[in-house]
């Protein structure tokens, strides 16, 4: 199994910044794409950003382009989300996702427990 643990959420005022981290651990053989998703109350979970294994190709939701930056450190099995110019509509629970292979040959889609981000106006 692969475990993902997010950290870095909190309460900030509009225009502020937060940096989310997600560290993967467990019986990891390799991690392919990693991403961040978010879910606001009463809404579907949506993709915020993802990044390929080499860290070169990234993808962002239109609503966060130019404000958020995803990056990863493969030596630490960690993905980051730098969030700048935060808006109240960014308020949500943010979840880390990883497409990973275990040392036992299983490939699966793994999720963290989520971290709350609240942006006040």
């Amino acid at each position: 199994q692969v475990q993902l643990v997010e950290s870095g959420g909190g309460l900030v005022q509009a225009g502020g910044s937060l940096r989310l981290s997600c560290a993967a651990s467990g019986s990891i053989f390799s991690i392919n794409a990693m991403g961040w998703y978010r879910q606001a109350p009463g809404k579907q979970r949506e993709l915020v950003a993802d990044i390929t294994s080499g860290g070169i190709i990234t993808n962002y939701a239109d609503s966060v382009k130019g404000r958020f930056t995803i990056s990863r450190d493969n030596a630490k099995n960690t993905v980051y989300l730098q969030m700048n110019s935060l808006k109240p509509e960014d308020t949500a629970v943010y979840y880390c996702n990883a497409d990973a292979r275990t040392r036992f040959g299983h490939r699966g889609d793994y999720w963290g427990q989520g971290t709350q981000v609240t942006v006040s106006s």
Side-chain angles (χ1 to χ4, degrees):
Q1 279 290 120
V2 177
Q3 296 82 45
L4 303 176
V5 179
E6 301 102 332
S7 61
L11 173 64
V12 297
Q13 291 186 323
S17 298
L18 285 173
R19 180 176 170 86
L20 305 184
S21 298
C22 172
S25 61
S27 301
I28 301 170
F29 178 77
S30 63
I31 300 176
N32 298 313
M34 301 185 79
W36 289 95
Y37 292 71
R38 67 187 181 187
Q39 187 168 20
K43 298 185 67 177
Q44 301 262 27
R45 187 173 299 187
E46 64 178 356
L47 175 69
V48 177
D50 58 19
I51 186 168
T52 54
S53 61
I56 298 173
I57 302 173
T58 57
N59 179 55
Y60 297 92
D62 288 341
S63 60
V64 307
K65 286 181 179 177
R67 299 188 298 121
F68 291 9
T69 302
I70 189 170
S71 61
R72 65 191 291 170
D73 184 341
N74 288 340
K76 298 180 179 179
N77 286 329
T78 299
V79 64
Y80 305 93
L81 186 68
Q82 179 66 46
M83 304 185 293
N84 299 326
S85 301
L86 283 162
K87 304 174 180 179
E89 48 263 48
D90 295 318
T91 296
V93 177
Y94 284 70
Y95 296 91
C96 177
N97 173 265
D99 175 14
R101 291 186 181 273
T102 71
R103 289 186 279 114
F104 308 104
H106 178 261
R107 181 177 181 179
D109 200 31
Y110 298 89
W111 293 90
Q113 82 288 348
T115 185
Q116 177 71 48
V117 171
T118 302
V119 184
S120 62
S121 59

